[in-house]
């Protein structure tokens, strides 16, 4: 699927769950970021999604999503937020290896996301 088509499907939430892993592999960070958010919102997480999130979770510098948050912070938080048992196992493994600053950023992202869900 072409970048523009994938981006539009993510924006209008018409992307199929089976296409999310491909979107997570995109070299276009806006596509990958939207795919992470889509997986979180749908709480959709199969083995291919977990695998791609784990790969993205290792990117903790050079690819800022917003403010101090790197793609890896977003992907690590996603492993927690999708609430799938296998994803939670991967989250715990990744989280234990983070330094205190990265843990703070992941925790803060999770807290802010959950607060936003409760409010709206």
């Amino acid at each position: 699927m072409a970048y523009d088509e994938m981006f539009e499907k993510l924006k209008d939430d018409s992307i199929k769950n089976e296409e999310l892993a491909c979107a997570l592999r995109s070299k276009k960070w806006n596509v990958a970021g939207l795919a992470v958010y889509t997986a979180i919102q749908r709480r959709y997480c199969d083995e291919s999604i977990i695998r791609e999130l784990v790969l993205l979770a290792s990117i903790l510098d050079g690819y800022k999503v917003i403010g101090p948050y790197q793609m890896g912070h977003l992907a690590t938080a996603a492993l927690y937020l999708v609430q799938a048992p296998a994803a939670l196992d991967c989250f715990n493994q990744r989280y234990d290896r983070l330094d205190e600053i990265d843990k703070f950023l992941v925790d803060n992202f999770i807290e802010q996301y959950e607060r936003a869900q409760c409010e709206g």
Side-chain angles (χ1 to χ4, degrees):
M1 181 182 330
Y3 158 75
D4 290 337
E5 181 184 357
M6 193 177 304
F7 186 71
E8 288 304 315
K9 282 184 165 187
L10 284 161
K11 275 185 18 184
D12 67 16
D13 199 29
S14 66
I15 195 163
K16 295 177 184 171
N17 285 342
E18 301 77 32
E19 297 171 322
L20 280 176
C22 181
L24 289 168
R25 284 190 295 273
S26 176
K27 300 299 181 210
K28 302 290 185 180
W29 294 113
N30 58 341
V31 170
L34 278 175
V36 172
Y37 278 111
T38 300
I40 293 169
Q41 289 175 330
R42 293 180 182 178
R43 293 207 189 274
Y44 178 75
C45 198
D46 65 9
E47 287 181 29
S48 64
I49 300 297
I50 293 171
R51 185 174 39 254
E52 297 305 325
L53 288 174
V54 167
L55 289 172
L56 287 173
S58 66
I59 303 171
L60 292 170
D61 61 8
Y63 296 97
K64 285 194 175 186
V65 178
I66 188 167
Y69 297 100
Q70 301 287 334
M71 182 61 77
H73 299 123
L74 174 63
T76 302
L79 288 166
Y80 175 83
L81 291 165
V82 295
Q83 293 294 302
L88 287 171
D89 288 343
C90 291
F91 169 81
N92 289 328
Q93 291 171 14
R94 300 265 339 138
Y95 189 83
D96 288 343
R97 293 185 293 212
L98 295 176
D99 65 29
E100 292 307 311
I101 293 171
D102 291 327
K103 284 180 181 178
F104 171 81
L105 291 169
V106 169
D107 290 342
N108 193 51
F109 183 88
I110 291 169
E111 180 183 320
Q112 295 301 318
Y113 182 86
E114 289 176 335
R115 183 178 301 149
Q117 295 304 301
C118 289
E119 292 173 357

